[in-house]
Amino acid sequence: MTEPKTAIAIQGLEKVYPGGFRALQPIDLEIYQGEIFALLGPNGAGKTTLINAVCGIVNLSAGQITVNGFDHCTQYRQARSCIGLVPQELTTDAFETVWNTVSFSRGLFGKSANPALIESILKRLSLWDKKDNQIRMLSGGMKRRVMIAKALSHEPQVLFLDEPTAGVDVELRKSMWDQVHELRETGVTIILTTHYIEEAEEMADRVGVIHKGKLLLVEEKNKLMKQLGKKEMVFELQHPLETVPPELCGKNISLAAGGSQLVFTYDTLQEDNGVTDVLDCLKAHHILYRDISTRQSSLEEIFVDLVRAS
Amino acid sequence: MNFQGIKAIYRFEMSRTFRTLGQSIASPVLSTVLYFVVFGSAIGSRINDINGVSYGAFIVPGLIMMTVLSQSVANASFGIYFPRFAGTIYELLSAPLSFVEVLMGYVGAAATKSFVIGIIILFTAGFFVPLEVKHPIWMVAFLALTCVTFSLLGFIIGIWADGFEKLQLIPLLVITPLAFLGGSFYSIDMLPELWRKISLANPVVYLISGFRWSFYEHSDVHLSVSIAMIALFLTVGFAIIAWIFKTGYRLKN
């Protein structure tokens, strides 16, 4: 298997704001070409600051960043040319038309006019029929797509999507996910921050969790879910219980749904994970159940556990 | 050099002017015409000639300069303040542009607008007072340099301001008084010696004096002093903006 090429390499990145607030602790991170990387973290964790640092919107306090091998300070032109950014806020020139604002973005990045490309981007994002509308006339979802069109207008190799589906309805969110997948198919590296863990679960190849400016972990999504994911076995009881029977204490069992469910939490990776033991115990003590179901913990639960533990 | 980037900013800014043509061009031209009517034709006809020039004609360079100063500052400050206010500044900061290219786009557009306004006022003045420009190339050079210099100042104000109120503060409290007291309506030689000396501390005196010289070959200060002062303002403005972009003052923090 060939080694993945690095799109973004961050070393010892720190950001301390005037006044002493440390937004980013020293961060080391590598993002590979062509992957979808999801950066998760609660509000104020430092996700946007990290993105802004890479894009040159905030000054670094320390550290080094390279984008496709170009140093973001000494070779800022080449580095920034590779990057497209869709910021979290819907910041647009309200009185400009869609066509003009997208063309403006392309020009800013040093690219000559390419009406055919702009047309294809607008069509792909279902904005073609709005191309002559002023942005202030558009809905929130459309404005969000205009931001994406602006970021794509200069054909970036790396695309930052900072909360791309915040405030967007379910249907549009799903269509945006499809568009992100399509972009990845064209070889674009995508770095995504989101509050919707299901979004990361649906799209990401790798996940990074950031909290209080510190990168807690970076892992392949599937591996992370396997490593940290717990499984639950839920027994629907025939006769509700008031307390967990003493025979079952210490076996990671709890009561739920007003005593009508017994929930057994176990680790699928452990050889002796106690499943047989629990089943035997229930049978021996005549605890009858109508149904059994199992459930894998979601990325959201993993994320919450990690943040709490930190 | 990112010429496409400069062009994009320049065109974007100029298109804003065309969208708001009345506010951008017609309004300053109209208010200057009113000055000509009141001071040039009505009151001016009762005032003696100054250095052999009728009062109405004498005030033309000063009035053009006064409008150009305020327009340059207003255009450039709004041009950079608005993206900061709206949040679209992120795009500018993340684009592969040096600060010189950003300046060329914003200051170039602001200076172009005020230069055009200055020329329109000049032609309009011709309808009210007899006009003569003895050194047209110098006149254009002084006008262009003043537009650029004060657009640089406007750009600095647009970055410094953290609200619309502050955006108006310097133009209202500093630029307008300096323009009025800088010899727009009189020669500083007409002032008592003490006030004449105090007036020399006003940078606008040098701009108006040099500009007026290009019309009538009469100036309050030597031409070389006017040129040196404009060069100094340009250098200081450029140095401040270089520092702003280097440190990220009000842009990157």
Side-chain angles (χ1 to χ4, degrees), chain A:
Chain A
M1 218 170 100
T2 53
E3 277 283 298
K5 286 185 183 169
T6 303
I8 294 175
I10 297 170
Q11 286 175 325
L13 173 61
E14 270 183 89
K15 177 65 191 173
V16 183
Y17 281 101
F21 174 65
R22 188 173 286 271
L24 294 175
Q25 317 262 10
I27 281 181
D28 295 303
L29 175 64
E30 235 179 315
I31 292 165
Y32 305 124
Q33 284 182 5
E35 75 169 331
I36 299 179
F37 183 88
L39 194 57
L40 306 178
N43 285 332
K47 304 185 293 289
T48 300
T49 306
L50 179 58
I51 287 179
N52 286 348
V54 178
C55 294
I57 295 170
V58 296
N59 286 335
L60 312 184
S61 302
Q64 200 186 3
I65 299 167
T66 59
V67 183
N68 281 350
F70 298 112
D71 184 275
H72 111 308
C73 282
T74 57
Q75 297 169 296
Y76 72 95
R77 282 186 198 277
Q78 295 95 323
R80 290 184 194 174
S81 295
C82 300
I83 298 176
L85 168 65
V86 181
Q88 196 177 132
E89 307 288 334
L90 285 174
T91 49
T92 52
D93 302 290
F95 298 99
E96 267 304 338
T97 63
V98 172
W99 179 271
N100 284 349
T101 196
V102 176
S103 303
F104 169 71
S105 299
R106 182 174 170 81
L108 271 190
F109 280 76
K111 296 276 177 87
S112 54
N114 186 345
L117 176 85
I118 305 289
E119 183 180 333
S120 82
I121 291 171
L122 293 183
K123 281 183 174 164
R124 206 178 342 144
L125 291 164
S126 309
L127 286 168
W128 181 242
D129 57 332
K130 304 284 179 195
K131 71 181 167 62
D132 297 320
N133 286 34
Q134 285 189 333
I135 296 171
R136 69 195 171 105
M137 310 303 282
L138 305 181
S139 68
M142 281 178 186
K143 282 181 188 156
R144 181 74 64 187
R145 277 181 277 162
V146 171
M147 306 290 289
I148 296 175
K150 279 166 80 69
L152 294 178
S153 66
H154 65 278
E155 303 156 90
Q157 294 149 46
V158 176
L159 181 66
F160 283 94
L161 298 167
D162 195 359
E163 307 275 355
T165 56
V168 165
D169 64 46
V170 179
E171 198 182 337
L172 185 56
R173 190 181 304 165
K174 298 244 156 118
S175 111
M176 279 191 179
W177 291 356
D178 292 340
Q179 281 155 8
V180 170
H181 280 301
E182 277 174 32
L183 274 173
R184 197 261 287 274
E185 293 304 310
T186 64
V188 176
T189 306
I190 292 158
I191 297 101
L192 165 87
T193 75
T194 181
H195 275 117
Y196 302 110
I197 312 285
E198 53 168 326
E199 200 159 81
E201 209 168 329
E202 160 76 26
M203 291 202 285
D205 299 312
R206 288 196 307 148
V207 173
V209 177
I210 188 170
H211 185 45
K212 292 181 181 168
K214 206 171 168 185
L215 200 57
L216 300 179
L217 70 81
V218 175
E219 190 56 274
E220 279 177 30
K221 181 192 68 188
N222 294 335
K223 220 169 172 181
L224 179 68
M225 291 186 68
K226 244 184 202 169
Q227 278 177 359
L228 296 175
K230 289 171 186 164
K231 209 161 186 182
E232 286 176 345
M233 187 175 281
V234 181
F235 297 92
E236 297 285 344
L237 301 176
Q238 284 191 6
H239 309 289
L241 297 173
E242 281 182 10
T243 55
V244 176
E247 304 79 21
L248 294 172
C249 286
K251 293 188 189 295
N252 270 341
I253 286 184
S254 58
L255 280 176
S260 63
Q261 285 180 348
L262 263 181
V263 181
F264 168 49
T265 308
Y266 61 101
D267 187 345
T268 50
L269 292 179
Q270 274 187 11
E271 213 160 285
D272 181 18
N273 55 24
V275 172
T276 316
D277 192 23
V278 167
L279 290 172
D280 287 348
C281 205
L282 291 174
K283 192 176 176 186
H285 294 91
H286 307 289
I287 299 173
L288 304 176
Y289 43 88
R290 282 180 278 131
D291 196 10
I292 307 175
S293 59
T294 60
R295 188 173 69 87
Q296 179 84 39
S297 57
S298 67
L299 194 55
E300 181 159 0
E301 288 159 322
I302 297 169
F303 167 71
V304 170
D305 285 349
L306 269 171
V307 169
R308 277 187 188 153
S310 72

